[in-house]
Amino acid sequence: MKIHEYQAKEVLARYGVPIPRNAGVASKPKEVRDKVAQLGGKGVLKAQVHTGGRGKAGGIRIASSPEEGETLARQMLGMLLKTHQAPDGLKVEKLLIEEPISIKQEIYAGVVPDRVSKRNVLIVSARGGMDIEAVAAEEPEAVVRLPIDPLEGPHDFEIRQACYKAGLDPVLVNRLVSPLRGLLNAFVGVDASLAEINPLAVTEDGQVVAADAKIELDDSALFRHPDLAAFAEESEEDPLEAQAHRLGIAYVRLKGEVGIICNGAGLTMATMDAVQRAGGRPANFLDVGGGAQSERVKTCLGLVLSDPQVRGVLINIFGGITRCDEVAKGIVMAKNSLEVKVPLVVRLAGTRAEEGAAILAQEGITPAATMPEAAEKIVALTR
């Protein structure tokens, strides 16, 4: 689950990471005017949407007076902010109003899990304020990674060594230990899947503050953090993804035309690859889950068909806990009740696959013996 910058900064502040003084968020121009006045008459207005690159897209503006703050807010609130991460645009519904800071240097700091080393990794770079993926691709030596011992955590000297390797000024290094440790503690403390400060700013007067922040939370751990679960905002999500979340379905909407329903994340991704190789484009990722009953299959198919881009659906099931005859019943239920008007191709293998195939044959649904064959058939039918 993504949370907004102002919420991420609230979390970081709990763990001792310095943040710029702010007057909170506002959703009306008059509120922005009042909040800029609270900060002494000058303020930075920052659009609160789940995307990076806001500054280049006009999502960060500086007001030199309360009146200018109100004027800028009228321009920003309600605008569709388009960035490289959100080319379709996200509607700006609220603004964070912060005190301006004079930045001397920008540093990147982040924490992510590494599946190879099976450890959390602290990432530091002197190239802050930029897309870290681009920096890593163009100048890999500029990005330093510090795997974190899960029992002892990093010692201060290890954090300092990482900063030295990143080419940061030795005079500055000692001042970075505390905010970087706070970032690490926040990552673990809230069960995050990503915690990022970009930039971690060094001001002209030598202070170190989190000028921007991004935190993504592990959905599976939200039961431990009801205060953070309250941060969820469906308005920031794709409506179909939001609906899937409410239904407990693992679904991600993509930009293709072939709807995909499988059981198991691995099989789903392999099926997406097969569709791509056959010349098609997956419209979604959907893992129906293990042991799925017919009603759930019907619900999943209805969700996939709600996407107007979908011109055909490939259902690929490997029966283990999931019984293929139950899946077939769900497909038939959906076909009859939803008035499915796009082609369906179904590949069943494993537990009660023959019984499932017999059920589908009575309804005239296109079968396939293998995954590549299924991918080729559905791509041909959607052209």
Side-chain angles (χ1 to χ4, degrees), residues 162-316:
C163 293
Y164 284 128
K165 289 180 181 178
L168 293 168
D169 187 343
V171 176
L172 177 65
V173 167
N174 282 333
R175 277 178 281 166
L176 294 175
V177 172
S178 178
L180 291 179
R181 184 172 292 284
L183 176 65
L184 283 162
N185 290 340
F187 178 86
V188 175
V190 300
D191 292 301
S193 55
L194 167 70
E196 181 179 82
I197 302 174
N198 189 25
L200 180 61
V202 182
T203 65
E204 292 290 350
D205 61 359
Q207 301 299 310
V208 178
V209 298
D212 196 359
K214 178 180 180 180
I215 292 178
E216 295 183 8
L217 303 170
D218 184 346
D219 290 352
S220 300
L222 283 177
F223 71 94
R224 289 201 287 254
H225 309 282
D227 57 327
L228 301 180
F231 287 163
E233 294 184 5
E234 286 191 359
S235 62
E236 287 288 336
E237 299 180 32
D238 180 286
L240 288 183
E241 292 186 4
Q243 181 183 352
H245 187 266
R246 289 193 297 270
L247 295 170
I249 297 171
Y251 171 90
V252 178
R253 192 177 185 181
L254 304 174
K255 297 184 180 295
E257 66 286 335
V258 178
I260 291 176
I261 298 176
C262 304
N263 62 320
L267 181 60
T268 307
M269 290 187 287
T271 304
M272 292 166 65
D273 289 342
V275 168
Q276 195 82 31
R277 282 195 295 270
R281 296 184 306 160
N284 64 271
F285 169 103
L286 191 151
D287 174 8
V288 72
Q293 299 298 308
S294 56
E295 189 64 37
R296 182 174 177 85
V297 175
K298 174 188 171 183
T299 300
C300 290
L301 185 53
L303 181 68
V304 169
L305 293 173
S306 297
D307 182 351
Q309 294 186 130
V310 170
R311 301 205 299 265
V313 180
L314 169 55
I315 302 173
N316 185 14

